[in-house]
Amino acid sequence: MPAQVVNKDLQNERNKCTFNQEEFTLWWVGGEEQLKEKRSRETYFESQPEFQDKVPLHFASHQELYEETIRKATVIFSKVKKLLTDQGKYDAKNYVHFMEALLGSGFIKEGNPLGIHFSMFVPAIMGHASPEQQEQYLGKALNCEIIGSYAQTELGHGTFLRGLETTATFDPQTDEFVINSPTLTSYKWWPGALAQTVNHCVVMAQLYSNGKCYGIHPFMVQVRDSETHMPMPGIDIGDIGDKMGYKGVNNGYLGLKNVRIPRSSMMMKNAKLMRDGTYVKPSSSVLAYGTMVFVRVIIVRNMAQSLAKAATIAVRYSSVRRQSHINPELPEVQVIDHVTQQAKLFPLVAKAIALKLTSDNLWQMYERTTSDLNSGSLDRLPELHAIACCLKVVSTSDTATGVEVCRLACGGHGYLTCANFLNYYSLASAASTYEGENTVLLLQTARFLVKMWNQAVQGKPLMPTVSYLQNYVGKQVQQFPWSDSVPVIISAFQAVVANKLRLACQRIEQRKSKGFTPEEATNFTGLELTQVAEVHGRWFVLQSAYEMFEKACQKATTPLISVMQNLCKLVVYDEALRIRGDLLRFTTMTETDLVKLEQNYEACLMVLRPNAVGIVDAFDYPDFVLGSALGAYDGNVYERLFAEAMKSPLNQEPVNKTFELYLKPLMKSRL
Amino acid sequence: MPAQVVNKDLQNERNKCTFNQEEFTLWWVGGEEQLKEKRSRETYFESQPEFQDKVPLHFASHQELYEETIRKATVIFSKVKKLLTDQGKYDAKNYVHFMEALLGSGFIKEGNPLGIHFSMFVPAIMGHASPEQQEQYLGKALNCEIIGSYAQTELGHGTFLRGLETTATFDPQTDEFVINSPTLTSYKWWPGALAQTVNHCVVMAQLYSNGKCYGIHPFMVQVRDSETHMPMPGIDIGDIGDKMGYKGVNNGYLGLKNVRIPRSSMMMKNAKLMRDGTYVKPSSSVLAYGTMVFVRVIIVRNMAQSLAKAATIAVRYSSVRRQSHINPELPEVQVIDHVTQQAKLFPLVAKAIALKLTSDNLWQMYERTTSDLNSGSLDRLPELHAIACCLKVVSTSDTATGVEVCRLACGGHGYLTCANFLNYYSLASAASTYEGENTVLLLQTARFLVKMWNQAVQGKPLMPTVSYLQNYVGKQVQQFPWSDSVPVIISAFQAVVANKLRLACQRIEQRKSKGFTPEEATNFTGLELTQVAEVHGRWFVLQSAYEMFEKACQKATTPLISVMQNLCKLVVYDEALRIRGDLLRFTTMTETDLVKLEQNYEACLMVLRPNAVGIVDAFDYPDFVLGSALGAYDGNVYERLFAEAMKSPLNQEPVNKTFELYLKPLMKSRL
């Protein structure tokens, strides 16, 4: 960590820390090797002058921001390629890994316009191209001889894929596909880097052959000329405009008018189209499914990091900021001494860790399932899909909400762009919509739970993450025996899911018996179903956190064990209090138990208090990654706010030209 | 309303409307005269070409945005002044009224840098200047011969006013004050328009005379030269940088170094300083108190409007957007037909109306209390202050949250700046912090409630808004007899407040008995106290809405009565479900009652469904006020999104210069 003069209050907090921070950090990042790699990567990136912005990009115009972001992105690409080549490690896997770590670090706050090339275009080639096509495209893509995007979403169509309207019609005469955007709503809309950056694009379109539609398939389309970058014939392409976040990502639109591509440009790893127009089905659609799950695992992990960063900023600032007296004869206190502030921030620190542990757990499930897949067993895929859906929802919505709690806990200064909360909020909030809109995903999890409930009622065996439902089958609500031990509380969440699921299934049946179709009955029961799926996700988070903490405690030193146990309790109590109504309904919890739970929760805040700064320090985010005037390691909050303000272009001249142009005439005009 | 071709789905919604929309609108805006005035103002503003942006300002740089906003603000000022003069109506009151209506309308989305001149500087002169000083400043200020801001908040000090550090020290030798910013944290920070715009400022500073501090007082300081606009000697002034919202407001910082102003520049309407340095106390500090409450009334009203606008956008878009099937053989449905979507949006429509009715109720309370004040009675001021505090909190936090629910309910397109949700969110979110940080305000309300509870325990009479506490005094939790009629549910909220207040008071006493000071005991009970204050505010919202709806129903036609009754039920059920845990604790509500409440809630959604568009149309927001591509009256969502994208500067040339500069070299470089 840097050697600036540290704010006294913050130093005082650090002196209070009771545990070994390096021990925590090693656990948090996953081991010595990971920590070493992370720190060397950070040191490298921080040391490159071409990677820094001269003026913060939030002062730039839409166009300037794009141009500067492209400059940085291309410099970074070249440097990383050279670095890995020099180390003899340049291959697709290392490259994607390095770039992903870079993107995940939030180093380019405004979003990297080449990010989609590596996160979607290259993987699309790997996942959809036949061996010959990989030969043709993969090397060029990795080397950036072609730069690509992935275009699925349309102006009028998002999460519901079957609704996509773009068509790819096979012309047997010329052995080509003719690709068209038949309507305004079929224009591709949102793909990153599509607007001004890429020259290739994997386009998802409805495949037509011999008058028959075979559904959505991927096609490689060149959208701009390699030499001139001019749009290719039939291509209408451009920028969709300014957004809440990801401002540097250059999201674009794409209209196609009779664009002809050879048949061989259909990506034929899975489905194929023969020379005569015969369609050959893919052997299994399972792999696409796997990719979707993979992306959601990554989202959960990234959300944990974003929340941890926001909490770091807010906890440090709250230790430096002083406001209001508690005892009137003493000076104003550190904001972090107000219990209301602790109750805002400390559960979020614990939540960030719980989400990170959940993503570790989910990752293990994913790896198990993938290895099952490779040995031909698809049994656990639906379970993995169901849990990944609701975890994507819980992690994105809690992170978005949590970041805003952090920001508001920093008062007015949290509203300044240089505090960097808006950035974390925009990223988390976008993730609530992309890769499956959150409500739609909850309904997918719920559909699985309903199916499992019906299996349980029929006495059939259930998969591990839902096997607890078996304890609740039967017609009546079953009160779970409450106690305030952590594992019992976590099991109480199962009781809530099971009983709410029972009620939801009953409502669906009631509605069907009134003459609604099953689909209508399910739609009308949407509120109950989404609630059930969400609690199931929250149960999984708590269960994962509990198991992972237990495992970590087996190896940790005593002071760190205390810290971990308290964090685990805090996140469990916090979640339990949030669903106190359901716990009162479905467990034997009494009013007295509830008051006791509130007291236990408050006790956890008090225990965490002296280690609050210690824990966020141990997350080990360097200042350039946090990117916040409020959250820097040295706590020189006011000096940094002032320094950021000094960078405003408006402060570069004593009088703005608008004085002579507009203000002076106004002041002098008398009616 | 304009005569564009309306989207068919949206037209179909309008055909379903069961009530007279003009009747609703008249009620919503407050009468015929108000509606006429509102529409004529809107027509005028929309018709002025100089008021329009050529390119949307979200594409502009920080500096360009400021310069364009100042242009608009000065043009608008001149035009309005001329308009009112031509109509023979130009005086301070009409002017401020017109400007306020203009600002409230959201016409200048980025915030008006002259706004603070009218909303804070002119009122500060009216509230703090002696008659002679008013003579000196008021005319000039109204005429914009001087342009001013109001500087209270400092870099290190916000809501806790006593902590301000700026000093104004009387120098009896020269009959002047010497104003200083003794530290970095004492720099004024945040005042609107302070950075590059104003030449005068009312500065709040600690008054020192003869070595003694007399607390915070207002001083008129000239900060820039009237002819050159250069900062005056000793003045360090500039821009604090980019923010999440209010980007055009030109918030600034101000450091003062031995700035000398004559004694007569202290604003002496209330306190005075004599020639010999003798301090004369103000006769009463009540008026300042009144202003604070007034501002909070306005905030509640503005929040209601913001939420209604966001709901308008989301309801219209949800009627046009189609996604997913309900019944698989039918086409994709309008998103508004998904019950989960209805449950997001319809309660917000009802909430916006409830908040508006609450602000009407609060306004009446304010006027009663002011007239009491004028006749010398201060009795009800603490009650008004307490209710205004918690209503400011409930209205700002519910609006911020509600706007985000609307935005997310519009999927990816809600993320585009041209949807205009980010603007509404930024405004509501800022209001959670300014004019009293929300948690601090809840604690103020709670302090009042604790005092009232102790009075009730002692059998003393209580003020009207808290008289219900008398029914709950006694040591034990009292179960309120539940039924699902609307007035009974509203009374159940009283039971929740009273019982939670009882518990909080007990916790405070327990802690005091353990040796904590009263202030420490209160701090440790902060969570319980803030919760109590919030529920009290929610009770007041529901009670106000219920009474105001009842009153409106006495005059309304039958179809509108049905609509109003359903809206009232919806907002009450929705709030009740949110505190279901507390209702289970403190009322006789059973599991069966709760399921019934959920069913009643779902029934309200279904009843509202055919009138959803009818209601938001009847809010009567013209397109230019909504400012959203997704929410326009004609529902031509996709055409408008496309048209907005076409305005992007990046779309004005087929190839951006960065292709030759950065991308091509990258593509051609082979290692």
Side-chain angles (χ1 to χ4, degrees), chain B residues 55 71 209 238 255 296 405 418 471 492 554 626 631:
Chain B
V55 175
R71 181 196 68 76
S209 179
R296 289 175 193 154
V405 169
C418 69
N471 307 331
Q554 285 167 14
L626 289 177

Side-chain angles (χ1 to χ4, degrees), chain A residues 327-387:
Chain A
N327 286 315
E329 69 281 6
L330 297 174
E332 292 189 72
V333 300
Q334 290 165 282
V335 176
I336 202 171
D337 280 327
H338 295 292
V339 169
T340 46
Q341 187 81 348
Q342 296 171 12
K344 288 175 191 172
L345 302 183
F346 296 172
L348 295 174
V349 172
K351 171 70 68 72
I353 300 170
L355 286 176
K356 194 268 182 185
L357 299 175
T358 304
S359 80
D360 291 346
N361 193 10
L362 190 60
W363 179 251
Q364 289 172 12
M365 256 181 92
Y366 173 76
E367 289 200 316
R368 265 198 313 274
T369 311
T370 314
S371 99
D372 286 2
L373 278 180
N374 293 339
S375 59
S377 158
L378 314 180
D379 295 353
R380 291 194 61 185
L381 198 57
E383 180 192 25
L384 178 65
H385 177 249
I387 200 73

Side-chain angles (χ1 to χ4, degrees), chain B residues 221-377:
Chain B
V221 179
Q222 182 167 357
V223 291
R224 286 181 182 270
D225 183 87
S226 306
E227 288 300 319
T228 66
H229 213 53
M230 286 294 285
M232 301 294 281
I235 296 288
D236 183 13
I237 197 165
D239 175 29
I240 63 168
D242 187 49
K243 300 140 296 178
M244 186 170 158
Y246 285 110
K247 286 172 185 278
V249 163
N250 196 224
N251 302 77
Y253 66 80
L254 170 66
L256 303 114
K257 193 171 176 187
N258 292 324
V259 172
R260 291 189 162 259
I261 57 170
R263 183 171 55 89
S264 60
S265 289
M266 172 179 160
M267 309 289 267
M268 299 213 204
K269 181 174 181 177
N270 306 303
K272 288 181 179 59
L273 198 83
M274 312 309 286
R275 177 64 189 89
D276 63 353
T278 310
Y279 178 74
V280 183
K281 267 208 272 195
S283 54
S284 151
S285 64
V286 157
L287 279 171
Y289 218 26
T291 309
M292 231 154 59
V293 173
F294 173 77
V295 173
R296 289 175 193 154
V297 179
I298 303 292
I299 290 175
V300 179
R301 200 188 60 189
N302 288 347
M303 291 299 113
Q305 298 287 339
S306 288
L307 187 54
K309 288 174 198 168
T312 301
I313 298 167
V315 166
R316 285 183 180 159
Y317 177 69
S318 300
S319 307
V320 172
R321 178 74 171 186
R322 287 179 170 269
Q323 182 163 300
S324 304
H325 303 290
I326 291 178
N327 287 315
E329 68 281 6
L330 297 175
E332 290 189 74
V333 300
Q334 291 165 279
V335 177
I336 202 170
D337 279 328
H338 295 292
V339 169
T340 46
Q341 188 81 349
Q342 296 172 11
K344 289 174 190 173
L345 302 183
F346 296 174
L348 295 175
V349 171
K351 171 70 69 72
I353 300 171
L355 285 177
K356 194 267 184 186
L357 297 176
T358 303
S359 80
D360 291 348
N361 193 8
L362 190 60
W363 180 251
Q364 288 172 12
M365 255 182 93
Y366 173 75
E367 287 200 316
R368 264 198 314 272
T369 310
T370 315
S371 99
D372 285 1
L373 277 181
N374 293 337
S375 58
S377 157

Side-chain angles (χ1 to χ4, degrees), chain A residues 26 49 64 71 108 133 166 175 179 197 218 241 302 313 402 446 455 473 500 504 575-576 597 612 626:
Chain A
L26 280 167
E64 290 160 356
R71 181 195 68 75
I108 308 191
Q133 291 171 325
T166 304
D175 198 24
I179 310 200
T197 309
N302 289 346
I313 299 168
Q455 280 194 16
V473 287
K500 285 177 87 94
E575 287 284 347
L597 182 62
L626 290 177

